[in-house]
Amino acid sequence: MTTALLRTADELHARARDGRRVVVMTMGALHEGHATLIRTAREIAGADGEVVVTVFVNPLQFGAGEDLDRYPRTLEADLKVAEQAGADVVFAPSVEEVYPGGEPQVRISAGPMGERLEGASRPGHFDGMLTVVAKLLHLTRPDVALYGQKDAQQLALIRRMVRDLNFGVDVIAVPTVREDDGLALSSRNRYLSPQERHTALALSRALFAGRDRHAAQEALRARAREVPSTRARAEALSALGESRAAADAAAVAKASPGAAAAVRAAARLVLDEALRLDPPLELDYLALVDPLDFTEIGDDFTGEAVLAVAARVGSTRLIDNLPLTFGAHEPRTSRTSHATHGTLGAAS
């Protein structure tokens, strides 16, 4: 199969369509994470459907001093990656095609959620991202769009936009793809020197430490709930080797599921150690948030959460996250599933 390279929406609209069109939106510099999205899109589209990969470096979502000018542009290589992964079309429009007449005066506002975490660090970023996603949805007219979990806040905002503004597109989130050493794949990883890459591994190590602490506490609480008496509960906790928790089994029994503060502390310990590396990791934020609105969760929280981190290593800013589930819970009616009426943002 030969992948077509199209530059205009008219060319894309002229293509005959039998099955569903599935879109993967990217800013180019495609890597294995993008290839995983494209392969998943191919499975969803099936033999009769069409997979479209957009390649567009959106100037609206880069702030002053960010890496718009040096962001890698590798269209020829991207076309090969897309073709090998099963794409039918690479849609690579010009800035003039996406923004005829210059920067748009009417834009999508990300609202309060867009001002938190990534939005606080990069003012206006999410407004620009949502604006281009809305435009690319109109230009590509997909039935389904895929998104990587690595950009969790972006995914949450796009789902909110789709729900609030009644976009008729299904979204499917695909888990983050990682290197063998745990580093989340990103187009910006190529900026890292060997020493900087070693420091950057602290991001994923911190998330894994938080995840492991969370898993241990969930296991303790599940065991504690199975034992009727406080003394027996303490003995059960001791048998698991969790001496700190076993020292006060009554407190463990009364504690909220998951103990968000302990998860944050476990991750923070790894990040604090990385501050002393050469080069050091410069932490932007570590947060444990509710994916419905990206506000910090408390120790009484139950349900799905996201442990997120952002930091700068040298001149490169990196983000990563892991989903966690706290305690036994019933799904909240306002929460969207991993495959809902939503859409996909431009992956980095």
Side-chain angles (χ1 to χ4, degrees), residues 2-3 17 54 57 64 86 98 112 117 135 137 151 155 170 175 217 227 229 243-244 262 281-282 306 310 316 345:
T2 300
T3 299
R17 294 178 59 179
T54 69
V57 180
V98 178
L117 299 187
K135 289 182 70 67
L137 283 172
D151 296 290
L155 171 61
D170 288 337
Q217 290 192 310
V227 183
S229 69
S243 59
R244 185 181 301 173
L281 180 139
E282 300 174 20
V306 173
T316 304

Side-chain angles (χ1 to χ4, degrees), residues 325-338:
T325 301
F326 285 79
H329 68 285
E330 293 296 325
R332 286 177 283 176
T333 56
S334 59
R335 184 179 300 281
T336 57
S337 67
H338 286 292

Side-chain angles (χ1 to χ4, degrees), residues 19-43:
R20 295 191 296 175
R21 175 174 287 168
V22 184
V23 166
V24 175
M25 295 184 188
T26 83
M27 293 203 300
L30 302 188
H31 49 63
E32 179 58 27
H34 297 109
T36 298
L37 286 168
I38 298 167
R39 287 192 292 266
T40 304
R42 182 75 270 161
E43 293 175 3

Side-chain angles (χ1 to χ4, degrees), residues 267-312:
R268 172 71 70 168
L269 183 61
V270 176
L271 297 170
D272 286 346
E273 292 173 351
L275 295 175
R276 297 187 289 273
L277 296 176
D278 182 20
L281 180 139
E282 300 174 20
L283 182 64
D284 188 344
Y285 62 76
L286 171 70
L288 184 55
V289 298
D290 183 339
L292 285 180
D293 56 12
F294 268 68
T295 57
E296 292 280 353
I297 66 170
D299 280 338
D300 59 347
F301 181 87
T302 60
E304 299 171 15
V306 173
L307 180 62
V309 63
R312 189 173 296 276

